[in-house]
Amino acid sequence: MHTGFIVIGILAIVYYLFICYYTRKWNSTFAGFWIVFAVFNFLLAAIVHFSPRWLQYILLTLNFIAYFVFFAVQVIICSAMLTLPPKKLDVIIVLGAQVRGKKITNSLKRRLDRGIAYLKENPETRVVVSGGQGKGEDVTEAFAMAQYLVSHGIAEEQISLEEKSRNTYENLKYSALLVDSMDDRIGIVSNNFHIYRSLLLGRQIGYTRLYGIAAGCNPILFLNYMVREFFAVMRMYLTKE
């Protein structure tokens, strides 16, 4: 029984090292989870191996429940990212992500490119770019996003900037001030793994007709993002915020 935990632990370490090699960093966002997860599985393997049969069954049952919950939430997250938005939305909100200096990062570029594709198919739709200025950023995320949109053929008068927000909740809260009505048909543009939680937050804020517009993400980091998103969604379920 304990062999499976050892294998999972080894795979977690391999994935962590792969992330480090790919990003050239030891402390990429959430990457440390995989080391903690590996140690947890090695400890669990030792406990199961040396425990009486009744305790083994309890530990394995708890482990099964944890994995069941994990995969159930993942199915919900994936269902949101696979839903196609309707045409001719009133507004789309492109959620901000890190800018390095003035440079658009990969995740943000994917969001913007997805937004551009939608706007070119639906030129009557307005766009709100949302994101304030954080550490290591020379301009607000919204400013950098607007510049990128204009450079790719989106008219300036079609774009509104929300430049105060620091997280997804604030993105949506402050962007609500730039739409005509919370009852408008509004699309949220973000990376695929982030769509479900963004829709949940938007409905909590008061948007009534929300649609996800999923951009891609880095395939190498997709698993890392999905596991991180699981914990973010569970926190929302448990704290209601």
Side-chain angles (χ1 to χ4, degrees), residues 43-129:
L43 290 174
L44 199 55
I47 292 170
V48 168
H49 182 66
F50 294 107
S51 296
R53 184 73 64 179
W54 64 268
L55 184 55
Q56 290 180 9
Y57 286 139
I58 292 175
L59 292 173
L60 292 173
T61 299
L62 292 174
N63 195 64
F64 172 81
I65 292 171
Y67 275 102
F68 178 82
V69 171
F70 173 79
F71 284 110
V73 172
Q74 294 298 327
V75 168
I76 295 170
I77 293 172
C78 288
S79 67
M81 72 173 69
L82 296 174
T83 302
L84 295 176
K87 296 181 179 180
K88 298 182 179 180
L89 293 172
D90 297 304
V91 183
I92 63 172
I93 300 172
V94 184
L95 303 183
Q98 184 183 27
V99 172
R100 293 194 180 97
K102 297 181 181 179
K103 184 179 178 182
I104 298 292
T105 52
N106 181 268
S107 290
L108 186 52
K109 180 180 183 299
R110 290 173 184 268
R111 298 180 188 189
L112 290 167
D113 287 343
R114 182 66 182 92
I116 290 166
Y118 186 90
L119 292 168
K120 289 189 174 180
E121 292 176 0
N122 303 274
E124 68 283 1
T125 299
R126 293 194 304 109
V127 55
V128 175
V129 288

Side-chain angles (χ1 to χ4, degrees), residues 14 17 31 60 68 81 100 130 137 150 155 174 199-200 211 233:
V14 170
L17 293 174
L60 292 173
F68 178 82
M81 72 173 69
R100 293 194 180 97
S130 178
E137 297 178 332
V150 170
Y174 298 146
L199 293 173
L200 280 182
Y211 304 89
V233 169

Side-chain angles (χ1 to χ4, degrees), residues 30 33 65-75 77 193-194 196-197 222-238:
F30 199 72
F33 164 83
I65 292 171
Y67 275 102
F68 178 82
V69 171
F70 173 79
F71 284 110
V73 172
Q74 294 298 327
V75 168
I77 293 172
F193 60 86
H194 190 228
Y196 175 67
R197 183 159 56 97
F222 181 69
L223 178 59
N224 190 56
Y225 291 145
M226 288 293 283
V227 174
R228 182 183 67 181
E229 197 65 15
F230 165 78
F231 288 106
V233 169
M234 290 302 297
R235 179 182 177 275
M236 282 190 63
Y237 285 162
L238 296 173

